[in-house]
Amino acid sequence: MYRLASDLKICKRLPMGMIGGGVGSFFAPYHRAAMRLSDRWHLAAGVFSSDPEKSRSAGGALGVEEARVYPDAGTLAREERSRIDGVKAVAVVTPNHLHFDACYALLEAGIGVVCDKPLVNELEEARTLRELAKAKGVFFGMTYTYCGYPMVREARTRVLAGDIGPIRFAYGEYLQEWLADKPENLGAKAGGWRIDPAKAGPTGTMGDVGTHAFNLLEFVTAARVSELSATLLTTVEGRRLDDNDILKLRFDQGISGLVWATQAAPGHRNGLRFKLIGTRGSLEWRQEAPETLFIGRLGEPDSILHRGQRTMTPAGAREVTLPAGNPEGYLEALAILYSDFADAVGAEAGSDRPALPYFPYPDLEEGLRGVALCAAALESNRNDGRWTPLLV
């Protein structure tokens, strides 16, 4: 227990870089906060903006040596590779269309990567990165943050133990309201690039939040989606990308599934949840109430499990940081992933830390599957929802 608060262990913080994340960045500050909370990394280098002065200013504010604030990803990769104290991984937190070049330069230099999702905008780019990472033997993590929640990991543990029997049906939804109108009418100053196809890629909501719901279903069931039928809708006038998506899913273990993802649902702020139906019971988790896990069993009273209590499995309890009743949330989940990433990097470097994280962390394969999901959904939608294989 107390995963992120065990500060008496002797553990050297690993140097990390960052590409993106200057003034105006929405998600990069959460990455940095999670790094600090994990107590496993320190920010040592970066390219924080394409504007050199803005990049230097951000680096100074973040305590990064001026000599290690670089003009571009290629320079960072070359220079850090040659340093004895060079970074062990670099967080790529730019808009989607800039991910590929940054990730490629880092992998080519043998430097690990932590990338925001979606991995890239095109499936062939994702496959290229996979082959390069394999050839170089380099660590690659994806920030599918929600699989870092303790009760999500508890759910996976119980599913794999057969607690509700073999899974028959898996449902995931992610409902948001921030694109129910034009972003400028909603006061959204950051993230407007997410509705620009040149930056966000060929999908909108599907790539942005649909991939999260998809990733969670695969994580908690330990099954893989093999094919899908998709309907991608655009509900706001003048928008060029989808904002309301429905996916029917077939998994490789005979599970049927459904994902509904929309960013145009007034009254829904961050409504991510999943529900699993087994032969002996059901299991449900909601991101906006992340401290509990609902279990309904056939012919028995319902159960509500609380994070931090003795009813958790040993594997789930291992992920807990705060005592029961003291809420843990999004930052802790992201910090748990950063702790997992540090364990994985340490294992590859021959560290005396645990060989690998207890739970599978989201890696390049998960990033590739998210891109493949979008490609298959687009193809299915173009063909009136025809069942389409998910090919990686």
Side-chain angles (χ1 to χ4, degrees), residues 63-390:
V64 176
E65 297 175 28
E66 186 172 353
R68 297 179 78 175
V69 177
Y70 300 102
D72 52 62
T75 304
L76 182 151
R78 289 192 302 273
E79 294 297 322
E80 289 296 314
R81 177 178 58 184
S82 65
R83 296 179 64 108
I84 296 176
D85 62 347
V87 294
K88 299 300 183 184
V90 174
V92 178
V93 294
T94 64
N96 304 352
H97 69 298
L98 300 175
H99 286 186
F100 177 77
D101 287 344
C103 291
Y104 191 94
L106 294 166
L107 292 175
E108 183 66 32
I111 296 174
V113 179
V114 173
C115 188
D116 261 345
K117 40 63 49 196
L119 172 61
V120 288
N121 288 340
E122 301 296 335
L123 187 52
E124 285 308 311
E125 290 182 340
R127 289 169 174 162
T128 296
L129 293 179
R130 175 175 62 179
E131 294 308 309
L132 181 58
K134 285 183 178 179
K136 295 288 185 177
V138 180
F139 162 82
F140 202 111
M142 294 290 304
T143 50
Y144 280 110
T145 304
Y146 301 103
C147 62
Y149 276 96
M151 296 311 281
V152 170
R153 297 184 171 202
E154 176 76 4
R156 176 186 165 94
T157 300
R158 289 178 176 271
V159 167
L160 295 184
D163 199 10
I164 59 172
I167 304 300
R168 289 173 170 167
F169 186 79
Y171 173 75
E173 69 178 30
Y174 204 147
L175 312 183
Q176 294 180 328
E177 68 177 2
W178 79 282
L179 290 179
D181 197 351
K182 296 179 180 179
E184 57 269 26
N185 293 342
L186 296 170
K189 296 181 180 180
W193 60 267
R194 296 177 188 273
I195 57 173
D196 179 357
K199 296 179 179 180
T203 66
T205 290
M206 181 50 57
D208 194 19
V209 299
T211 50
H212 274 302
F214 162 80
N215 172 261
L216 267 187
L217 291 185
E218 291 204 327
F219 179 77
V220 295
T221 62
R224 294 296 200 185
V225 171
S226 56
E227 58 180 342
L228 59 84
S229 169
T231 300
L232 308 184
L233 303 172
T234 302
T235 61
V236 176
E237 184 178 356
R239 183 160 295 155
R240 292 180 288 169
L241 294 173
D242 56 286
D243 57 23
N244 187 30
D245 305 328
I246 300 169
L247 298 180
K248 292 188 289 185
L249 307 172
R250 290 173 179 159
F251 292 77
D252 58 6
Q253 297 182 15
I255 303 169
S256 298
L258 183 69
V259 163
W260 175 29
T262 179
Q263 293 173 304
H268 293 273
R269 286 151 293 280
N270 203 50
L272 172 64
R273 71 166 177 161
F274 63 78
K275 183 189 289 285
L276 305 179
I277 309 299
T279 58
R280 296 198 303 272
S282 301
L283 185 153
E284 182 175 357
W285 178 83
R286 295 175 52 237
Q287 194 277 151
E288 291 181 325
E291 296 285 275
T292 58
L293 185 66
F294 170 85
I295 299 180
R297 294 186 176 89
L298 185 64
E300 299 180 20
D302 296 339
S303 299
I304 297 179
L305 307 181
H306 291 265
R307 183 203 54 79
Q309 292 192 318
R310 290 192 296 271
T311 50
M312 290 186 72
T313 63
R318 179 184 178 274
E319 306 301 302
V320 169
T321 293
L322 296 174
N326 296 275
E328 291 181 37
Y330 189 85
L331 275 181
E332 287 87 352
L334 186 55
I336 282 174
L337 288 191
Y338 267 101
S339 182
D340 288 345
F341 297 157
D343 282 346
V345 170
E348 291 179 2
S351 167
D352 59 0
R353 294 286 297 177
L356 282 174
Y358 190 90
F359 287 89
Y361 62 86
D363 59 11
L364 182 52
E365 187 68 19
E366 306 306 318
L368 174 58
R369 292 188 64 78
V371 180
L373 173 79
C374 294
L378 285 167
E379 181 180 346
S380 174
N381 186 66
R382 284 193 295 266
N383 291 283
D384 299 319
R386 184 178 68 193
W387 283 96
T388 302
L390 194 155

